[in-house]
Amino acid sequence: MAVRDAIYWNEAGAPDPVVPVADLPRQVDVAVVGAGFTGLATAIHLARGGRSVALFEAGKIGHGCSSRNGGMVGPSFHKLGMTGLIAKYGEKKAYAIMQEGMNALDHFEAFVAEEKLDCDLHMRGRFRGARTEADYDATARECERLNKAVGLPFEMVSRAGQRAEIGSDFYRGGVVYLRDGGIQPRKLVVSLAAKAAEAGVLMFPECPVTGIRRDGEASELRCGDTVVRAGEVVVATNAYADRRTEAMHSRVVQIETGAVATEEIPADLMAELSPKGRMFGESGRIFMWFRPTSDGKRFIFGGRMGSPGCAAEERAAATKTAIARVFPQLADIGISHAWSGDVAYTPDHAPHLGFEDGVWLAGGYCGSGVTRSVYFGAKLARRILGQPDGETAFDDLAFNKVPFKPFSRFAAEMMTRWWAWQDARDLCNRV
């Protein structure tokens, strides 16, 4: 069967959002640019706070990473880890930044429950395999620090006991993060869009904003031949920012990642591969993440496999090679879908929200944006509305522009190759 160049989530029980037809307004209180998780969440809270809100999206609602990601949720801790954060910011600030990960997850779970969002949220934990004994030891130390700092619950799993968590002998043990889980990301897009419509948000898919100009106390947004005047502007384009939303574009590095969906897997084999229905990840500089689909019939695998911009068949082949080292049992299972998308990284490895260059920004999730985006949307709306509890531990971290931005994607690709070589070396040297 040929591999489809299509996003699996879009065909798995998640139709396009129903968007009420509306004429472009001449003036609104707030214009939100980008209709992914961040933009939708921000718009919902602003509209409920009494603001008139117009939401603009260059593609379909949720066209970007919000429909393309792996749908894995968790605390989304800072990439530097406790040791790196303490060295850079000191112990108190490091603890506060890590606590925001727990706060974001708490908010996400509560919001999904309170709003009754249909997104297949299942908090079954995540097993993260250690590729080497050194990785296992480092993971144990980091988890102990996080448990002490923010109460992260975890269980270390020995190599001898890992078959209870994953149908693979590849790893040297690992850890189970008990507060992780998964969603169907496209379903979350659809549910958030429905809530936005109910709140009175005017949504304009396939309506790119081609220019933003600050004019005194307000801003003017150009949409085709129409100019919309807004008191405030939120730019939530994240990794899909370009020159049209320069304030975000200049501050993030866009890195292409890909994902594939397998064909349906026999139930007995699925039970062997994922005995507890958990999410999965692994140590390494360039790692693969993977998970069962919500219905438990397929696996989704993702990461930086395949060359940038490659065809679906090439991406599928590269991912099959990565799959084989973990699950040789899937050698005869085909790939049905392959797709790609961009994620947004920042020079300091931290997400950011705040007011920059005359617009409100939220993004730079560094590949861990499901919980952070919904959380940041609520926080940003509170600031714009002048409500309490809009602060985060990231507020005093400067959202700096990326040095040599035109070369950033190329530099990221070169670093990916270097890190992949180092990972391969480590695997060759392990016993």
Side-chain angles (χ1 to χ4, degrees):
M1 181 183 295
V3 179
R4 296 194 60 195
D5 185 1
I7 304 168
Y8 170 77
W9 303 122
N10 292 358
E11 301 175 5
D16 287 339
V18 177
V19 178
V21 178
D23 294 329
L24 280 172
R26 295 294 181 179
Q27 185 166 340
V28 291
D29 294 330
V30 187
V32 180
V33 185
F37 294 153
T38 304
L40 288 165
T42 306
I44 290 168
H45 292 292
L46 287 171
R48 290 176 176 175
R51 299 294 194 269
S52 59
V53 182
L55 180 60
F56 301 95
E57 170 57 52
K60 294 183 177 180
I61 301 296
H63 165 78
C65 199
S66 295
S67 290
R68 299 166 187 268
N69 68 83
M72 296 167 69
V73 302
S76 302
F77 291 125
H78 196 286
K79 304 296 181 184
L80 293 180
M82 284 300 300
T83 301
L85 282 176
I86 290 172
K88 188 169 184 177
Y89 299 114
E91 189 170 278
K92 183 178 180 180
K93 186 65 174 179
Y95 280 23
I97 289 173
M98 287 303 198
Q99 183 60 50
E100 287 292 358
M102 301 297 285
N103 296 344
L105 180 58
D106 290 342
H107 173 84
F108 182 84
E109 288 187 274
F111 189 68
V112 168
E114 291 166 4
E115 300 291 335
K116 298 180 173 58
L117 302 180
D118 177 17
C119 62
D120 297 343
L121 174 62
H122 299 294
M123 301 299 290
R124 294 173 181 156
R126 175 167 63 103
F127 174 80
R128 182 171 180 257
R131 290 179 174 179
T132 67
E133 287 81 357
D135 288 346
Y136 181 91
D137 293 341
T139 297
R141 291 193 298 270
E142 179 67 8
C143 286
E144 288 168 2
R145 295 187 191 101
L146 287 169
N147 177 261
K148 177 183 177 181
V150 298
L152 175 73
F154 72 97
E155 293 177 358
M156 295 304 299
V157 179
S158 68
R159 185 178 181 183
Q162 73 183 21
R163 275 278 178 168
E165 300 293 341
I166 183 172
S168 175
D169 298 316
F170 174 73
Y171 298 110
R172 299 323 195 224
V175 62
V176 173
Y177 298 115
L178 297 168
R179 288 231 36 211
D180 281 42
I183 63 165
Q184 210 282 35
R186 185 62 183 174
K187 283 189 175 182
L188 180 58
V189 167
V190 174
S191 295
L192 289 174
K195 293 295 179 180
E198 289 174 11
V201 176
L202 300 176
M203 289 181 281
F204 300 98
E206 300 188 46
C207 181
V209 172
T210 56
I212 303 173
R213 185 177 70 88
R214 192 71 181 174
D215 180 20
E217 296 299 315
S219 293
E220 292 184 345
L221 293 82
R222 181 164 293 281
C223 306
D225 295 328
T226 302
V227 173
V228 179
R229 192 171 175 82
E232 305 281 3
V233 176
V234 174
V235 173
T237 47
N238 204 32
Y240 287 77
D242 56 24
R243 293 292 184 183
R244 295 173 295 186
T245 49
E246 180 64 18
M248 178 68 76
H249 178 68
S250 63
R251 288 176 166 84
V252 297
V253 177
Q254 288 125 319
I255 297 178
E256 181 183 296
T257 66
V260 306
T262 68
E263 295 174 351
E264 290 194 8
I265 299 172
D268 58 341
L269 180 54
M270 281 295 297
E272 175 190 344
L273 302 180
S274 182
K276 299 176 182 177
R278 299 201 194 280
M279 307 290 105
F280 296 100
E282 60 180 8
S283 64
R285 302 166 184 84
I286 304 299
F287 56 86
M288 179 172 68
W289 55 262
F290 45 109
R291 56 161 295 181
T293 52
S294 303
D295 60 10
K297 294 181 179 181
R298 303 170 187 250
F299 251 92
I300 307 291
F301 294 87
R304 299 185 215 176
M305 283 79 77
S307 57
C310 67
E313 292 284 354
E314 180 186 333
R315 190 172 305 282
T319 308
K320 283 279 281 187
T321 299
I323 293 170
R325 65 176 166 79
V326 178
F327 289 139
Q329 307 97 307
L330 292 180
D332 297 328
I333 301 295
I335 301 297
S336 62
H337 299 69
W339 65 97
S340 64
D342 285 344
V343 294
Y345 278 76
T346 58
D348 62 355
H349 307 286
H352 292 272
L353 73 167
F355 192 77
E356 305 281 354
D357 297 349
V359 298
W360 295 94
L361 301 176
Y365 303 123
C366 302
S368 299
V370 177
T371 54
R372 284 172 168 173
S373 56
V374 175
Y375 179 64
F376 272 26
K379 290 290 187 178
L380 195 62
R382 285 183 175 276
R383 293 192 192 184
I384 295 170
L385 294 168
Q387 296 176 344
D389 193 27
E391 303 79 18
T392 76
F394 300 103
D395 294 350
D396 58 351
L397 304 184
F399 196 178
N400 294 321
K401 294 183 178 181
V402 177
F404 308 106
K405 168 65 183 184
F407 306 101
S408 62
R409 190 183 285 269
F410 174 77
E413 292 171 6
M414 294 301 101
M415 290 302 298
T416 294
R417 293 183 185 183
W418 167 240
W419 289 329
W421 180 86
Q422 291 181 294
D423 285 339
R425 179 200 59 190
D426 291 346
L427 290 179
C428 287
N429 292 337
R430 76 177 187 171
V431 294

